[in-house]
Amino acid sequence: MRSTVVVRLLWCIPLMLISPLLLASASWDMTPGVTDISHQVFNLHRTILYVCIAIGLGVFGMMFWSILHHRKSKGAVAAHFHESTVVEIIWTIIPFIILIGMAIPATKVLVAMNDTGDSTMTIRVTGSQWKWNYEYLTYDADKDVGVSFYSVLSTPREQYERQGKGFGSGNTPDFKNHPNYLMEVDRPLVIPSGQKVRFLITSDDVIHAWWVPAFAVKRDAVPGFVNEVWANVPVGKEGVFRGRCAELCGKDHAFMPIVVEAKSKADFKVWLAEAKTRAEAEAKAAAASVDYKFPSLEAGVKEGEQVYVARCAACHQVSGEGLPPMFPALKGSKIANDKAHLKDHIHIILEGKNAMPSWKAILTPREMAAVTTYERNAWGNTTGDLVQPSEFAK
């Protein structure tokens, strides 16, 4: 019996030597990333890993040696002794030296990770259930870039919620041929390569976390606070880099991906000019939508259903039954059925309430009017109200 135990203990030694090395080279190890700071983080990780391996080998090696050479079958008798000042000093001094040796390189990397000085671009990143808002604040001499947009998961909701007709056949996602399934967005964040980009991370509802492993960037987005972080993609390393929200933020936390596209400086300037043109066009369209009038109740309901499914169904559900108590039902609700509460309904969509965000910076007056019309005339709600965009302009 004792020999069996000894043999098993001996088998642990090569496993201790091999396992960490295999883990370090496997695909689930930390990514070296693409930026200089991500390589520093990766090298620090490997350094600390090797220190831990050495400590483990030393401690367990001594333990196994003691078990083998001081076992009862060899006639070993346990010694009786009390505290030793020398031993206590040794096992205090050695760990202290090891900790200092690890703290020095770790501190250097941490200081570098938090140094956002000398950045050429500043982007505000705002987490919102369940999407990201990117606002370009400054770029070189441009102190008012004027580009802002929301980045939302582009996978259709009926697909990832398994609600599509015929799901299980042609509507089933092919994971093998779509390695980025649930990691695609409608509008990625675009940054220039070879330039230091500062990110101001915040949130307008709950705590999120903006995480891009290839940049070694992971920072909490906390309501009412602004956290800073930065990235600098080297020239020649342009490409698409993916991440996700890394803080449990509610029902659709899993569907809040991050996509960053790094372009060369010349290509980025072209993209930025196109983005400014698009922003101006969207602003004009939003202003023009105020004067639009739905020709009929059916037209308003039809357009509103599309807006509702894309923007509102995540919380209030496609059926309108919500997820009480956090997300109340609209089906049969007082706010969506009582004509006297129409103004309250409009106000909530504009300004938000509790966990619901304000939609006035996201939707146009036409879209808000359409979705209000739909909510007041769907799932058995029969107010007959046709809300026009001008109501939101008021």
Side-chain angles (χ1 to χ4, degrees):
M1 179 67 180
R2 286 177 183 142
S3 61
T4 303
V5 174
V6 171
V7 170
R8 289 178 179 176
L9 290 173
L10 288 173
W11 269 108
C12 292
I13 296 176
L15 289 176
M16 287 175 58
L17 290 169
I18 296 172
S19 297
L21 299 176
L22 289 176
L23 289 173
S25 60
S27 59
W28 52 79
D29 187 25
M30 282 185 64
T31 173
V34 68
T35 63
D36 176 68
I37 195 68
S38 68
H39 285 288
Q40 291 184 44
V41 171
F42 181 77
N43 292 333
L44 175 65
H45 154 70
R46 284 290 179 88
T47 299
I48 302 303
L49 175 65
Y50 295 145
V51 170
C52 292
I53 291 173
I55 293 173
L57 290 175
V59 171
F60 285 101
M62 179 62 71
M63 184 181 74
F64 293 146
W65 182 86
S66 299
I67 292 172
L68 290 172
H69 288 80
H70 299 90
R71 59 187 186 272
K72 187 176 181 181
S73 61
K74 293 187 68 174
V77 179
H80 296 278
F81 60 89
H82 294 283
E83 67 278 353
S84 170
T85 303
V86 174
V87 172
E88 290 183 0
I89 291 175
I90 291 174
W91 71 35
T92 301
I93 294 297
I94 293 178
F96 178 77
I97 294 173
I98 294 173
L99 288 174
I100 293 298
M102 292 191 295
I104 292 174
T107 302
K108 290 180 179 179
V109 174
L110 285 173
V111 170
M113 289 178 69
N114 289 278
D115 180 13
T116 59
D118 300 325
S119 57
T120 59
M121 170 177 281
T122 300
I123 300 174
R124 180 162 56 205
V125 180
T126 305
S128 178
Q129 293 178 312
W130 285 275
K131 52 192 171 292
W132 296 100
N133 175 244
Y134 300 117
E135 184 177 357
Y136 292 73
L137 301 179
T138 63
Y139 179 51
D140 286 338
D142 191 348
K143 302 301 181 183
D144 185 16
V145 179
V147 174
S148 176
F149 57 85
Y150 281 85
S151 181
V152 184
L153 175 71
S154 59
T155 306
R157 176 170 293 277
E158 61 270 16
Q159 185 182 83
Y160 65 77
E161 287 192 348
R162 311 302 201 264
Q163 294 176 351
K165 293 181 180 179
F167 195 90
S169 54
N171 199 27
T172 304
D174 185 353
F175 298 103
K176 183 179 292 184
N177 295 322
H178 294 83
N180 296 319
Y181 180 65
L182 294 181
M183 292 295 289
E184 298 286 0
V185 297
D186 57 350
R187 297 185 68 177
L189 174 66
V190 181
I191 61 174
S193 63
Q195 293 184 297
K196 190 173 184 178
V197 181
R198 179 175 65 144
F199 301 102
L200 305 179
I201 314 293
T202 188
S203 170
D204 61 11
D205 42 42
V206 299
I207 298 177
H208 303 277
W210 201 74
W211 177 41
V212 182
F215 298 167
V217 167
K218 183 180 180 184
R219 196 57 53 96
D220 282 350
V222 183
F225 292 86
V226 176
N227 291 320
E228 289 184 295
V229 74
W230 65 276
N232 187 346
V233 178
V235 175
K237 298 291 186 179
E238 295 84 4
V240 176
F241 308 97
R242 304 179 191 277
R244 63 180 70 242
C245 177
E247 187 73 38
L248 187 60
C249 58
K251 172 182 172 291
D252 276 7
H253 161 70
F255 310 118
M256 199 173 171
I258 299 164
V259 179
V260 183
E261 184 176 358
K263 293 178 176 287
S264 66
K265 189 174 181 179
D267 290 342
F268 175 77
K269 287 187 176 181
V270 173
W271 174 88
L272 187 60
E274 294 174 350
K276 288 182 177 181
T277 302
R278 179 175 177 175
E280 292 172 359
E282 289 175 347
K284 290 179 180 179
S289 72
V290 174
D291 299 324
Y292 178 82
K293 288 188 177 182
F294 294 109
S296 65
L297 178 63
E298 291 73 19
V301 169
K302 183 178 180 180
E303 187 171 326
E305 183 179 10
Q306 297 175 349
V307 179
Y308 179 87
V309 171
R311 300 291 189 175
C312 311
C315 299
H316 295 291
Q317 305 299 290
V318 175
S319 63
E321 296 177 349
L323 294 169
M326 180 61 71
F327 306 116
L330 295 173
K331 179 181 179 180
S333 68
K334 189 175 181 180
I335 193 79
N337 280 275
D338 193 336
K339 286 182 174 291
H341 284 83
L342 175 58
K343 289 185 177 180
D344 296 330
H345 196 167
I346 291 173
H347 178 77
I348 290 175
I349 291 177
L350 278 171
E351 304 297 338
K353 183 178 180 181
N354 298 330
M356 178 176 169
S358 167
W359 289 99
K360 62 185 177 183
I362 306 173
L363 302 178
T364 65
R366 177 174 173 174
E367 290 173 321
M368 289 188 288
V371 77
T372 307
T373 299
Y374 174 73
E375 291 172 355
R376 301 181 74 79
N377 295 279
W379 321 298
N381 299 347
T382 56
T383 63
D385 291 333
L386 174 58
V387 183
Q388 298 291 359
S390 58
E391 293 296 316
F392 283 85
K394 294 178 182 179

